[in-house]
Amino acid sequence: MEKIFQKLSLSSATLVFVLLIGIFITLYSAAKPAIDEFGLHFIINPDWNKEIVVETPSLRADTVANDAEDDAIADEDDMILDEDDDEMLLDDEDDTVTKTIYGGLVPIVGTLLTTIIALTFALPIAMGIAVFLAEIAPKNISYVVGIAIELLAAIPSIIFGMWGLYYFAPIVADLVGGYQVSLLTAGLVLGVMILPFMAAITRDSMNTTPAVLKESAYALGATKFEVIKDIIFPYSKVGIIGSIILALGRALGETMAVAFLIGSIFVLPKAINDPTISIPVAMANNFGEASGLGESALFYLALILFIISFAVISLAKFYFLKKAK
Amino acid sequence: MRLLINKIFLALSILSAGVGLAFLAWILITLFMKGLSSFHFSLFLNDLIEGGLRNLIVGQMILAGLASLIGIPLGMTAGIYIQEYGQGRYAALIRDLSDIMMSAPSIVIGAFVYAIVVVPMGGTSGFAGAIALAIMMIPVVINTTDSMLSLVPRELREAGIALGASKYKVIIDIVIKAAKVGIMTGILLAFARIIGETAPLLFTSETSNYFSLNLGESFPSLTVSIYDLANEPEESSRDLAWAASFILTVLVLIINLTGRFITRNKK
């Protein structure tokens, strides 16, 4: 019995390991066709689901033999052929061979930009809330507001998205101009969404500062600002940075709050109030219809997102937060 | 001058706290106003196809419940391993990996389950949805179990062993009992978290307009339907989405508060 229980718990623990490796392998193998087809060029190619002319009839004979080389050449050909794409398709539609290409630049840029906007917006406010909760507010107010913030962190993200689309975005669009669904509104709503989470964990970091340190500083005549700036921030700096990066990791992978607001079009944004798309939203909106190479390209995006967030979270957890302990 | 800077800084901090709280209050007020005005008890009696939410609420509960049935035992035993049996590197590695998995993008988990369950089974199913939610839940349960067991004093374990109990007896009868409240709270919070998830369900369970208890086919999901309804042009669909969001939020908040209440009572 003892042995069985021990084996059982060991295998459950191993399951975590297997799952994580399994996610990597599954995503990689599902993305394999797209990786083989587009390689790393995928990351900098802004065209998604675009028909391009691969080879003209006259060229076909020589290129069939060395397909492999052709792939490499095709990348460079994209650029040249892009402009006269349409005419060629019209001219001799039956004779030209076209293929659909997928590039991940737009969703990757969209993901990074929405996250940056969200952090820029949420960071100062979250710091303010954390300082308020940890140092300024009286104990009972801090307790109640603290619980309220934690409860808000539990609200499903889809609700932030709906609120953002119908109530927040129209106001922002009135103030700034441009579209209601845009990089800006998506980023801001994402910022509002990570706000409670960021405030709560930053406050926890600040609370680790020993009371003795603070009291000694006050005894020396320091003002509250000086205590916060010179005692609390230096002491809990590493923990705070870790908390920020953790919130960043959460923002990177967020789907629903962004899905309502980003506009979901595969176009590079020219201005901050242009619509575009992010990796999670590209997956959420296109997975159902996609098949073949398109689906594989979505898995490629998923793999990229997974690697980015894996790196970001590991950095936060194992460098900053471990050090903070 | 120092005092002035101090005042300005404190004012700024209070101001930003005010701004943050105002935003969050705005969301809640909107949700309650819109939700309550569209809310009606008949929503609980009709399915989505008849303009109600019954099948969706039941479906979401079943998905989250089934995920808990899978996730809680696995998460707890893994947590027990890390804290009680595991020594050295391996246990630490599992703990770290579980921490990373806790923050993994939920849509990626959805894609993973799509590839390993939906594709081989030939279509979306309630089963796939529950597995996706279970994967989301396991690391949270591991984390709670691990940290709650670590609070149990060593002496309790030693006393048990000294009485001649075997290790698993000590774990089940003494250690788990001592940490029961904390673990239960953690599980409630984990449940509240997965019940509001949308992204992992989008292409695993999808959703359905009809009442269904058949886990082998597309399964009604409240959150996925909120997403669909909110994007429809008709006002009536959007109102339904608000009512559904309201019900979901109230549910999540009640579970959360229950969890906190239990822990507080213990203290």
Side-chain angles (χ1 to χ4, degrees):
Chain A
M1 197 60 199
E2 170 70 38
K3 275 264 144 54
I4 296 173
F5 188 74
Q6 192 174 348
K7 284 266 149 55
L8 205 71
S9 66
L10 173 64
S11 51
S12 297
T14 309
L15 181 74
V16 176
F17 191 65
V18 173
L19 270 177
L20 209 64
I21 301 288
I23 292 176
F24 258 118
I25 293 173
T26 309
L27 291 180
Y28 181 77
S29 60
K32 194 81 176 31
I35 295 174
D36 288 346
E37 182 77 23
F38 308 120
L40 282 175
H41 185 66
F42 182 80
I43 296 173
I44 51 164
N45 181 5
D47 296 321
W48 180 270
N49 200 357
K50 182 171 189 176
E51 296 256 315
I52 58 152
V53 179
V54 197
E55 45 195 40
T56 51
S58 56
L59 282 171
R60 201 183 300 168
D62 353 31
T63 44
V64 164
N66 35 24
D67 238 329
E69 279 175 35
D70 188 45
D71 269 358
I73 300 164
D75 287 348
E76 288 147 33
D77 282 357
D78 291 355
M79 313 295 182
I80 307 155
L81 290 176
D82 267 0
E83 286 110 46
D84 34 35
D85 217 6
D86 296 350
E87 294 100 290
M88 289 191 79
L89 281 174
L90 285 175
D91 279 344
D92 38 15
E93 211 167 330
D94 294 339
D95 296 336
T96 32
V97 177
T98 64
K99 67 170 183 176
T100 316
I101 56 156
Y102 294 91
L105 182 67
V106 179
I108 292 171
V109 167
T111 306
L112 297 179
L113 288 181
T114 42
T115 306
I116 291 170
I117 296 172
L119 273 187
T120 321
F121 173 72
L123 191 60
I125 299 180
M127 288 301 137
I129 296 179
V131 168
F132 175 76
L133 289 179
E135 296 305 319
I136 300 176
K139 269 255 157 58
N140 47 355
I141 292 185
S142 170
Y143 179 73
V144 173
V145 176
I147 286 193
I149 296 267
E150 280 167 31
L151 286 179
L152 286 163
I155 290 182
S157 55
I158 189 165
I159 284 153
F160 286 90
M162 257 173 90
W163 163 80
L165 178 60
Y166 292 115
Y167 291 89
F168 184 62
I171 296 176
V172 175
D174 274 352
L175 288 175
V176 190
Y179 297 92
Q180 287 191 7
V181 286
S182 70
L183 204 55
L184 179 68
T185 50
L188 289 178
V189 169
L190 189 58
V192 174
M193 198 206 90
I194 58 169
L195 192 55
F197 176 72
M198 203 152 135
I201 52 179
T202 308
R203 173 204 58 185
D204 292 344
S205 293
M206 288 185 181
N207 277 341
T208 57
T209 316
V212 185
L213 284 183
K214 288 188 271 179
E215 279 155 14
S216 333
Y218 282 126
L220 289 173
T223 62
K224 212 159 221 174
F225 170 65
E226 286 160 349
V227 171
I228 293 166
K229 177 172 72 86
D230 295 330
I231 307 290
I232 296 175
F233 268 127
Y235 187 85
S236 51
K237 189 174 63 193
V238 185
I240 293 175
I241 296 174
S243 312
I244 294 168
I245 299 179
L246 216 52
L248 182 135
R250 186 168 272 214
L252 278 175
E254 177 52 38
T255 313
M256 301 323 290
V258 182
F260 281 96
L261 286 141
I262 198 161
S264 304
I265 52 166
F266 283 93
V267 177
L268 274 182
K270 293 191 181 59
I272 197 170
N273 46 14
D274 277 350
T276 178
I277 199 162
S278 73
I279 296 179
V281 178
M283 293 173 65
N285 289 346
N286 298 294
F287 222 87
E289 298 95 61
S291 60
L293 203 54
E295 191 181 284
S296 181
L298 285 172
F299 273 112
Y300 197 173
L301 283 177
L303 184 65
I304 293 172
L305 177 66
F306 192 56
I307 292 172
I308 296 177
S309 66
F310 193 98
V312 166
I313 298 159
S314 315
L315 183 73
K317 292 251 181 202
F318 307 130
Y319 183 68
F320 289 106
L321 293 181
K322 278 271 156 71
K323 220 169 148 189
K325 278 176 192 166
Chain B
M1 188 61 197
R2 282 175 57 220
L3 292 177
L4 187 68
I5 292 178
N6 184 42
K7 281 233 168 73
I8 294 173
F9 175 78
L10 293 189
L12 276 178
S13 162
I14 294 174
L15 183 76
S16 64
V19 170
L21 291 174
F23 262 112
L24 300 167
W26 182 12
I27 294 172
L28 278 189
I29 290 168
T30 311
L31 179 66
F32 276 74
M33 299 263 281
K34 283 298 279 183
L36 276 175
S37 69
S38 330
F39 182 81
H40 197 274
F41 278 101
S42 68
L43 291 179
F44 290 119
L45 301 174
N46 297 312
D47 293 338
L48 183 57
I49 195 76
E50 306 147 339
L53 298 167
R54 183 184 66 152
N55 64 325
L56 301 177
I57 298 170
V58 173
Q60 191 83 8
M61 291 296 246
I62 292 177
L63 286 175
L66 197 63
S68 308
L69 280 183
I70 306 170
I72 294 173
L74 288 174
M76 271 185 71
T77 41
I80 289 172
Y81 175 80
I82 293 176
Q83 191 60 43
E84 304 290 329
Y85 286 111
Q87 294 129 355
R89 285 242 178 95
Y90 189 63
L93 174 74
I94 297 292
R95 182 181 286 137
D96 290 346
L97 291 181
S98 151
D99 273 357
I100 291 179
M101 247 177 85
M102 197 153 67
S103 316
S106 52
I107 190 117
V108 171
I109 309 265
F112 168 64
V113 173
Y114 176 85
I116 60 157
V117 181
V118 176
V119 173
M121 275 177 70
T124 53
S125 64
F127 198 60
I131 291 180
L133 291 183
I135 296 177
M136 301 281 309
M137 193 176 191
I138 290 172
V140 188
V141 178
I142 292 180
N143 185 289
T144 315
T145 311
D146 180 26
S147 53
M148 288 304 146
L149 291 185
S150 73
L151 295 178
V152 176
R154 213 184 136 78
E155 290 76 16
L156 270 184
R157 298 187 178 92
E158 283 165 357
I161 299 279
L163 286 173
S166 57
K167 189 156 185 185
Y168 89 96
K169 271 267 177 210
V170 172
I171 292 172
I172 291 177
D173 288 342
I174 300 175
V175 182
I176 298 272
K177 278 231 171 85
K180 198 173 59 185
V181 176
I183 294 176
M184 248 170 67
T185 306
I187 287 174
L188 274 176
L189 295 184
F191 185 79
R193 188 179 140 165
I194 59 163
I195 205 167
E197 278 290 347
T198 315
L201 295 176
L202 283 173
F203 26 81
T204 51
S205 72
E206 270 189 302
T207 186
S208 159
N209 292 344
Y210 303 93
F211 192 88
S212 168
L213 294 174
N214 180 0
L215 288 163
E217 55 182 28
S218 295
F219 206 70
S221 151
L222 188 62
T223 47
V224 177
S225 281
I226 291 176
Y227 184 51
D228 292 345
L229 288 169
N231 278 314
E232 271 175 41
E234 298 101 46
E235 193 71 29
S236 61
S237 297
R238 284 198 227 154
D239 284 344
L240 200 57
W242 280 111
S245 306
F246 171 70
I247 295 171
L248 179 68
T249 308
V250 169
L251 194 66
V252 168
L253 292 184
I254 288 176
I255 300 172
N256 256 288
L257 285 172
T258 314
R260 277 161 212 284
F261 187 71
I262 302 176
T263 348
R264 223 182 125 186
N265 261 12
K266 170 110 189 282
K267 282 173 190 162

